[in-house]
Amino acid sequence: MPAAYPTLGEGGQPGHATILPDRGGARLELIFLGIVWAVAALLLWHGLSLQLWRDGTIGPGAYPVFALAGLLAITSVLIAKALAVRELRLYSPFQAGLQDDLRLRQLAEIMGTRLGTRIQVVTKDGEGRFSALWKGVRGNALAIVSSDMTSLPNFHAAAFCDGRMEPVGGLFFDPDVLVVRPASQWQNPGDLWNKGQTVRLGFGHHIDIDHAVGRWLATAQGLSFRPVHSDDIPSLIGAINAGDIDAAILSFSQARQAITTGQVRCIGLLSEPGDQPPEVQGAPTFLDHGAAVVSGHWAALMVPAGMPAKKQNALSAAFSEAAAELPPANETDMSARIWRFLSQEEMKGIIDIQQRCHAQFTPRETLSDSLPAGKIIGLVVAIAGLALFPIAMMQLGFVLSAFFYVAGLTLLLWPKLTPAKAVLSIAVAAFLSIGTYLLFSKVFNVVLPTSALMEGLLP
């Protein structure tokens, strides 16, 4: 479990994301493909101007021309594909086929109609959830961020989004509730920390999952408590009624049935005033009693930070219209989480408070999401080397030019260069350069340029 998801430094802020529609957004890829296309076209033009074409004697020496023509065609297709308008992708953490996934697909279909582009929902449940978030961060897709996951529970999901992603609307917010047995004398959240005693406090999740509510209460409110963690909610409810624990903090969906049947009594919500579910409409909030905390499971439609306001507003408007048109969920199913859509402002308010709560007990550092300098240098060397390769080949010969190009590029791209990796890079470069030369000269009968240094060494 990561301890922190710090705010980005100025150097790591994402630029203006290109969404609506998605055109791939890979500028470096387009530059690289453009250079390859230009070099291939130049060499092809030079090859077609050779004497063999004018004499009509096409033999093995024409093979590179055919290869260049194929490379030019493939590069043209890749450039056209990169520039073509594609469907908008929405990465989802929900398990395919279940209620949340089906409702999200309905929502995406209606939003796509409003936006005039098809929205494809790509399911990334399980371990794929976290990696899918980075597709939204990097600006080439939308993403549903959910705090109901092991890798990013509760405050951690909000902290992860800090400086990286911004909400355009909320799918649901399932607030945590403070429940006690019906006969308890406790009436509001303030009784937790105003009694001056150690509280036996239950939490409705496994001990290995850090929801951080307890840490926040201990740090910000000075609460002394003995925690009891369990994802067996009926057992926690039984422990409350048996007097084994004084209170429990559960999500509303976990405690909903017990509250409606009178097994426990809700004396506090960890939500903003006005966001209470109908079943606990009159219950006080922690904010009402001086505890600036909002806790619970939520899911929001996110866009990359830095997206122009015009595009954010278009997505937010389409989301609001689609949410109003979507048929209501079956609220009689006590086991299902009820979707109650939140506006962009309401979702931002929840996430902002959770980010402040996370910062109160977590050291803040700066972290850049930009590419490492080594990878940028490697990419520049790859592009520049490819452009200079034909010129170098005429002076140094094919073998030396190919050797220096491959060796230099592989040495730069190793994450951590060691002597063994350096030897491997040089060996691979030598094998590829000499092997390619021999392949063309012996198999295809194509004579590649050679230098005076290598002329006596190569057959």
Side-chain angles (χ1 to χ4, degrees):
M1 174 64 64
Y5 299 93
T7 303
L8 297 177
E10 292 182 3
Q13 290 288 355
H16 292 299
T18 54
I19 292 184
L20 296 176
D22 179 12
R23 295 182 178 270
R27 297 179 182 177
L28 288 176
E29 290 180 11
L30 286 173
I31 293 173
F32 178 76
L33 289 173
I35 292 175
V36 172
W37 189 94
V39 172
L42 179 63
L43 293 176
L44 182 60
W45 175 81
H46 178 70
L48 291 174
S49 65
L50 295 176
Q51 187 68 30
L52 60 91
W53 295 99
R54 292 195 289 269
D55 295 343
T57 56
I58 302 177
Y63 291 164
V65 174
F66 296 134
L68 286 171
L71 177 61
L72 191 66
I74 294 173
T75 307
S76 300
V77 171
L78 292 175
I79 292 175
K81 185 178 179 181
L83 292 174
V85 175
R86 302 180 298 177
E87 63 190 5
L88 184 59
R89 288 193 171 189
L90 171 58
Y91 287 90
S92 163
F94 303 133
Q95 188 173 351
L98 298 186
Q99 176 177 289
D100 287 342
D101 176 69
L102 296 176
R103 286 184 65 77
L104 179 62
R105 293 179 186 277
Q106 290 179 297
L107 185 74
E109 184 178 354
I110 300 172
M111 284 185 64
T113 303
R114 297 290 186 273
L115 296 171
T117 184
R118 181 174 179 269
I119 299 180
Q120 180 189 7
V121 178
V122 181
T123 300
K124 291 285 186 179
D125 60 336
E127 291 302 319
R129 292 181 178 189
F130 193 81
S131 62
L133 297 183
W134 289 103
K135 296 182 180 295
V137 170
R138 290 164 182 161
N140 58 0
L142 303 176
I144 297 294
V145 178
S146 172
S147 66
D148 189 8
M149 52 192 293
T150 303
S151 54
L152 285 177
N154 208 19
F155 299 154
H156 296 280
F160 172 83
C161 296
D162 191 3
R164 295 183 175 94
M165 307 184 77
E166 297 176 358
V168 296
L171 303 181
F172 61 79
F173 175 54
D174 185 15
D176 286 340
V177 294
L178 177 65
V179 294
V180 296
R181 60 183 179 275
S184 173
Q185 296 182 351
W186 290 5
Q187 300 298 320
N188 57 64
D191 291 334
L192 267 181
W193 50 83
N194 291 333
K195 298 296 184 180
Q197 61 187 23
T198 300
V199 178
R200 298 169 298 173
L201 189 59
F203 295 92
H205 56 82
H206 196 271
I207 190 172
D208 293 335
I209 302 176
D210 181 20
H211 278 228
V213 181
R215 283 200 287 157
W216 185 89
L217 289 171
T219 302
Q221 299 299 127
L223 176 65
S224 175
F225 63 93
R226 188 168 70 248
V228 177
H229 296 88
S230 176
D231 50 10
D232 185 354
I233 305 306
S235 296
L236 275 180
I237 299 296
I240 293 175
N241 288 319
D244 296 331
I245 58 177
D246 300 313
I249 294 179
L250 311 173
S251 66
F252 173 71
S253 61
Q254 291 175 326
R256 183 185 178 201
Q257 188 169 7
I259 292 173
T260 55
T261 56
Q263 294 177 268
V264 293
R265 180 164 53 90
C266 175
I267 64 169
L269 286 97
L270 286 89
S271 68
E272 292 187 288
D275 287 342
Q276 297 97 323
E279 294 86 346
V280 287
Q281 192 66 45
T285 68
F286 275 61
L287 289 168
D288 292 330
H289 291 267
V293 60
V294 169
S295 176
H297 297 321
W298 52 265
L301 176 62
M302 292 284 193
V303 298
M307 174 183 284
K310 182 178 180 180
K311 292 183 179 181
Q312 283 200 37
N313 293 338
L315 281 170
S316 180
F319 176 84
S320 299
E321 293 174 9
E325 189 175 331
L326 196 68
N330 180 16
E331 299 201 13
T332 61
D333 185 1
M334 291 290 184
S335 63
R337 193 195 327 269
I338 302 301
W339 278 31
R340 293 187 177 91
F341 293 103
L342 294 90
S343 67
Q344 184 178 29
E345 292 73 21
E346 290 172 330
M347 199 68 239
K348 280 185 177 180
I350 291 172
I351 293 175
D352 287 345
I353 293 177
Q354 289 203 334
Q355 288 172 353
R356 290 195 295 269
C357 290
H358 187 268
Q360 287 184 265
F361 58 81
T362 304
R364 300 181 65 85
E365 301 173 359
T366 57
L367 178 68
S368 175
D369 284 337
S370 58
L371 284 174
K375 289 188 177 181
I376 296 177
I377 294 174
L379 184 59
V380 171
V381 169
I383 296 174
L386 187 63
L388 296 174
F389 186 82
I391 301 173
M393 186 171 59
M394 297 302 176
Q395 302 297 322
L396 300 176
F398 174 82
V399 174
L400 287 179
S401 300
F403 173 78
F404 288 131
Y405 178 75
V406 175
L409 196 58
T410 52
L411 289 172
L412 280 173
L413 291 180
W414 280 115
K416 185 178 181 181
L417 186 61
T418 62
K421 292 178 179 178
V423 172
L424 178 62
S425 298
I426 294 172
V428 169
F431 174 79
L432 289 177
S433 57
I434 297 175
T436 304
Y437 176 85
L438 294 176
L439 176 67
F440 273 83
S441 62
K442 298 299 182 181
V443 178
F444 299 135
N445 292 325
V446 176
V447 179
L448 296 174
T450 57
S451 66
L453 178 63
M454 303 295 295
E455 196 166 334
L457 299 178
L458 295 173

